[in-house]
Amino acid sequence: MDDRFWEQFLIPYEQAMEELKVKFRSIRKELKKRDEYSPIEFVTGRIKKISSILEKANKLHIPLDRLEEIEDITGIRIMCQFAEDIYRVVDLIHQRDGNDMTVVYEKDYINNQKPSGYRSYHIIIRYPVQTSLGEKELLAEIQIRTLAMNFWATIEHSLSYKYEKNIPEDIKERLRKAAEAAYLLDTEMSEIRDEIRDAQQLFEYKSNIVSRILQGIENLYQIGYVVEATTFQNQFREMRAQGDVMELRQLYRTIQAKIKEVKTY
Ligand code: 0O2
Ligand code: 0O2
């Protein structure tokens, strides 16, 4: 197995990696252009190192003429801001299942954290690439994780290499604690996110009510009910300073009722 063999062997895997990176990055671009939230923060890809391919073949007793059975020669990694986004990305992949890719199986290391502390959602797909020799279907692994999970896994992976996969027990224990901290960080950020979303919705609701109140006061002025309009305007000024949504809602209803009443005369 010389360099030329590996060069040829890896061509379709590199092509698959490039195509998949473009496809997942385009989802992000498209959503951003439409001013929608993207569950994808960024996407990276890698081709497994030759030494790791051989190591894995050896570990899984895969003969060298069946290396294509290794599932993660092409690896795509999708990073999300929040833990909930992971399942949105999983859904996006499921929607494509049977179209440009086929899901073979999935490993949920989010709900089933590894003993090391590792968390991520893995999807193994079958992906066709068009080569000069015709179509070739190959396996690829998509890892979906949050930024916090990625931070932890990147450091743990490099330590794992440093210690040739024999990380001392005390460091392993500290890594497990760090994984717990990463998990708490994800949970905390999700809660903050929910609160931000609630606050944004309340703000939106409030500004709609305010503009409807102003519209109502304007209507009363136009149809000649100046005294009522002025009274409502004064009430509105006071309420706005306090900013109570329920009171604003009540004022809006009173103005609407008044308009209805005077228009029936
Ligand atoms: P942009 O403009 O940065 O958003 P390539 O295929 O050449 O585009 P390559 O060489 O494969 O990319 O690089 P890699 O390492 O696979 O992925 C790099 C992409 O991931 C770049 O985005 C980086 O900006 C982004 N990236 C890597 N690490 C982080 C990180 O910690 N945070 C964030 N937000 N992004 C990161 P692009 O697509 O080049 O474009
Ligand atoms: P590379 O080439 O260094 O990226 P195995 O890896 O054999 O134990 P399996 O079933 O082949 O298990 O695959 P698994 O565990 O579903 O996924 C393997 C890949 O997931 C790893 O690739 C890592 O990228 C990641 N991973 C899995 N467990 C851990 C972990 O405890 N820590 C970190 N940092 N990453 C993990 P490789 O094999 O490292 O390949």
Side-chain angles (χ1 to χ4, degrees), residues 15-73:
Q15 189 175 326
M17 179 185 72
E18 294 303 335
E19 288 184 17
L20 287 165
K21 276 199 298 191
V22 168
K23 287 184 176 185
F24 288 111
R25 282 174 187 166
S26 324
I27 295 178
R28 176 185 163 78
K29 261 191 215 140
E30 207 189 309
L31 288 169
K32 290 263 160 192
K33 281 218 173 103
R34 289 205 304 245
D35 286 330
E36 283 177 39
Y37 176 77
S38 165
I40 297 174
E41 183 58 17
F42 67 95
V43 181
T44 62
R46 69 103 184 83
I47 295 295
K48 207 173 180 67
K49 281 195 292 187
I50 296 170
S51 58
S52 302
I53 296 177
L54 291 171
E55 213 176 283
K56 195 149 193 178
N58 190 32
K59 186 177 132 193
L60 301 178
H61 307 293
I62 294 174
L64 296 182
D65 58 349
R66 297 214 314 256
L67 288 178
E68 61 279 1
E69 288 176 19
I70 296 177
E71 296 161 345
D72 65 341
I73 295 177

Side-chain angles (χ1 to χ4, degrees), residues 46 48 52 56 59 72 77 107 109 114 116 118 122 141 143 152-153 156-157 161:
R46 69 103 184 83
K48 207 173 180 67
S52 302
K56 195 149 193 178
K59 186 177 132 193
D72 65 341
R77 204 166 269 167
K107 289 188 251 187
Y109 295 130
K114 281 197 161 191
S116 60
Y118 178 77
H122 292 192
E141 180 184 73
Q143 299 181 343
W152 182 91
E156 198 265 359
H157 196 261
Y161 264 91

